[in-house]
């Protein structure tokens, strides 16, 4: 054997697993098709939010959380309905992950040097009944340093093992097939790609300059999902979400192509829950793109008016930040692939954040001074840059001018200023009294009972059409591709299973390639902060299991 273990994919799940196996003294080969500049994969680009339960940060803010409440929220969100088959291991992984999030997850990360921003975010607020989708309490813990702050301790450990000659890292090595013998996976074979000067996330060439083969006692597939492969997304798109969009923007780099999923399937691995996926509805085209068709997601507070392409306001629970897939379904069933926010300067200053480490330089750079600058008048710097340069933003002093320019942007001329004015005026009248039948206003007022939202996330309720709150802002929202919720079915040791439910000797899966654990621990929906967290958990589980099983 050339190595004890081969890890395919140098994203966060692969790094965690390699670090764990290096700690155990195993000889590990880490291969990835991208150049070394992309070490850490998608996690590096993330906002760095992690799902934690009953944390010190929550308790300091008066948030009462528990493992039981989190499990209730998880199951209501996941909606597991294939428990005799595709969801059998997914649910077991979900229960194990919630235990981890309510148990040692924070202490483990804290011991590695990871620290958290003191204000806990409230993502996926739900808007359904108590046992339905959504987080009952804020659980979105932002890592101090965002995505790079998560990647750093694991990259550091892996590089230490590289110096000790326990881990060998080969970038620009693309796996094209898994080697098998007698039903056991024994290694990998593939192509050496030409050296590339592409910076992190940029599209790199696929020029082949050589080939390779390596053998090992075990192979771990941690190669990510299909988020940049729009053709494959459309192929797997479920009817329940309407028609698949003909046009999407990409929330992930081009190398997130799903190649290793089909390669692993050819070797006998079973892919489950192909129809489950997670795409965002609040996408804007990046004016300063890193990868092809680069989209950024707005992380909205709850106050913007959300209209479909024909100018009709969405009803409950399709408010900003409440139910991502519910709103995706509502948008797709309109027959159009975009929607609109209409908001005020006051709302954008308080409520708009952008997903991604590069869009949050204050948090990523761990600058307390710059973070405090968010409390000053004006939109955050990255948001202002999109207001100034982004093609999806329109700013106007009055509603008529705003709507004219909205129609001009799309060329569809679907919007009627009188009808939009009627809806917003009706909403604004509800601000005049402390009673309301408008559930979005009820939600806004309810959110401000949480000190974290009141301080930095939710604007004081005000009238959209009052000039003193302006100017008015419209944002065209695109569908932005992101996560694969299904994947390789794995048992609680990370072993990849075949069609009969038996573990394939020598083959393991982790991260998004394994549906973040078990072939889809999220079920149909996610609670957020659980994607990077699922990679951390599944990479750790697989790395530790392999360390025990490989002699």
């Amino acid at each position: 054997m050339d190595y004890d273990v081969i890890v395919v994919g140098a994203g966060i799940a692969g790094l965690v697993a390699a670090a764990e196996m290096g700690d155990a003294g195993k000889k590990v080969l880490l291969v990835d098709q991208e150049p070394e500049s992309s070490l850490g994969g998608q996690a590096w680009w993330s906002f760095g939010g992690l799902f934690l339960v009953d944390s010190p940060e929550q308790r300091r803010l008066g948030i009462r959380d528990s493992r039981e409440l989190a499990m209730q929220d998880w199951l209501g969100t996941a909606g597991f309905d294939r428990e005799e088959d595709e969801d059998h291991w997914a649910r077991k992984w979900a229960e194990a992950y919630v235990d981890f999030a309510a148990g040692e997850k924070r202490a483990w990360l804290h011991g590695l040097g990871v620290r958290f921003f003191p204000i806990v975010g409230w993502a996926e607020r739900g808007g359904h009944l108590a046992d339905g989708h959504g987080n009952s309490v804020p659980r979105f813990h932002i890592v101090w340093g965002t995505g790079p702050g998560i990647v750093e301790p694991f990259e550091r450990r892996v590089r230490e093992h590289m110096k000790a000659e326990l881990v060998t890292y080969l970038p620009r090595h693309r796996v094209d097939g898994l080697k098998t013998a007698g039903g056991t996976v024994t290694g990998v074979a593939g192509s050496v790609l030409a050296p590339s000067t592409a910076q992190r996330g940029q599209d790199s060439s696929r020029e082949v300059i050589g080939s390779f083969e390596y053998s090992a006692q075990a192979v771990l597939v941690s190669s990510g999902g299909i988020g940049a492969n729009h053709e494959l997304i459309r192929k797997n798109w479920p009817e329940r979400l309407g028609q698949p969009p003909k046009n999407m923007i990409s929330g992930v780099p081009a190398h997130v192509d799903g190649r290793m999923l089909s390669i692993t399937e050819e070797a006998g691995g079973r892919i489950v829950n192909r129809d489950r996926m997670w795409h965002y509805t609040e996408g804007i085209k990046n004016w300063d793109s890193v990868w092809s068709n680069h989209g950024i997601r707005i992380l909205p507070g709850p106050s913007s008016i959300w209209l479909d392409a024909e100018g009709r306001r969405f009803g409950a629970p399709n408010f900003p930040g409440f139910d991502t897939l519910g709103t995706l379904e509502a948008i797709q069933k309109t027959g159009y692939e975009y929607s609109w926010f209409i908001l005020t300067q006051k709302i954008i200053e308080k409520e708009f954040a952008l997903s991604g480490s590069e869009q949050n330089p204050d948090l990523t750079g761990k600058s307390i001074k710059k973070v405090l600058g968010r409390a000053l008048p004006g939109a955050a710097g990255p948001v202002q840059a999109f207001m100034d340069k982004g093609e999806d933003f329109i700013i106007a002093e009055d509603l008529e001018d705003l709507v004219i320019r909205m129609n001009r942007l799309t060329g569809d001329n679907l919007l009627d200023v009188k009808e939009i004015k009627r809806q917003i005026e009706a909403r604004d009248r509800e601000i005049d009294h402390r009673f309301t039948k408008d559930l979005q206003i009820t939600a806004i007022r309810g959110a401000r009972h949480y000190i974290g939202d009141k301080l930095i996330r939710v604007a004081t309720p005000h009238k959209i059409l009052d000039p003193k709150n302006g100017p008015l802002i419209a944002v065209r929202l695109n569908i932005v591709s992101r996560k694969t919720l299904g994947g390789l079915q794995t048992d609680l040791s990370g072993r990849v299973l075949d069609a009969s439910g038996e573990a394939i000797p020598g083959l393991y899966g982790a991260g998004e390639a394994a549906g973040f654990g078990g072939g889809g621990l999220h079920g149909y929906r996610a609670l957020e902060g659980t994607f990077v967290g699922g990679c951390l958990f599944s990479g750790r589980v697989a790395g530790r299991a392999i360390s025990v099983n490989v002699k």
Side-chain angles (χ1 to χ4, degrees), residues 9 42 87 96 114 161 368 371 420 455 482 517 530 535 549:
Q42 295 179 63
D87 284 338
V114 175
H161 293 318
I368 295 174
V371 169
I420 292 175
L455 286 174
R482 190 63 69 86
T530 57
C535 290
N549 294 331

Side-chain angles (χ1 to χ4, degrees), residues 467-497:
K468 70 182 181 183
N469 299 319
L472 291 170
I473 301 163
V475 187
R476 179 179 59 183
L477 305 174
N478 307 273
I479 306 303
V480 56
S481 65
R482 190 63 69 86
K483 297 298 180 187
T484 311
L485 297 188
L488 298 168
Q489 192 170 39
T490 58
D491 66 12
L492 285 176
S493 295
R495 297 183 300 175
V496 175
L497 308 180

Side-chain angles (χ1 to χ4, degrees), residues 327-347:
T327 309
L328 176 60
E329 177 183 352
I331 291 169
Q332 289 307 113
K333 289 184 176 178
T334 67
Y336 298 93
E337 298 170 350
Y338 65 92
S339 59
W340 294 98
F341 277 167
I342 291 181
L343 60 152
T344 64
Q345 180 69 23
K346 284 187 176 180
I347 292 173

Side-chain angles (χ1 to χ4, degrees), residues 80 82-97 270 272-273 488-498 500-503 514-522 537:
F80 294 123
R82 303 167 183 173
E83 294 195 48
E84 298 303 314
D85 186 17
E86 294 184 274
D87 284 338
H88 175 76
W89 289 104
R91 175 159 179 161
K92 292 179 183 295
W93 270 89
E95 292 172 349
Y97 181 68
R270 187 188 184 205
V272 295
N273 299 312
L488 298 168
Q489 192 170 39
T490 58
D491 66 12
L492 285 176
S493 295
R495 297 183 300 175
V496 175
L497 308 180
D498 63 18
S500 65
E502 297 297 320
F516 303 94
L521 61 75
H522 294 96
F537 182 55

Side-chain angles (χ1 to χ4, degrees), residues 9-83:
I12 191 65
L15 287 180
V16 172
E20 293 288 337
M21 293 183 291
D23 289 350
K26 302 304 176 184
K27 189 177 180 183
V28 180
L29 173 63
L30 177 62
V31 296
D32 195 284
Q33 68 179 354
E34 293 307 297
E36 188 169 353
S37 59
S38 285
L39 187 68
Q42 295 179 63
W44 193 94
W45 293 102
S46 75
F47 190 39
L50 293 178
F51 177 90
L52 296 174
V53 179
D54 193 28
S55 69
E57 290 77 17
Q58 287 175 301
R59 293 194 292 271
R60 282 195 289 268
L61 292 167
I63 300 165
R64 298 178 61 184
D65 200 4
S66 68
R67 189 268 180 196
E68 292 73 25
L69 182 61
M71 198 70 235
Q72 173 181 298
D73 288 348
W74 194 288
L75 293 178
T77 296
F80 294 123
D81 57 7
R82 303 167 183 173
E83 294 195 48

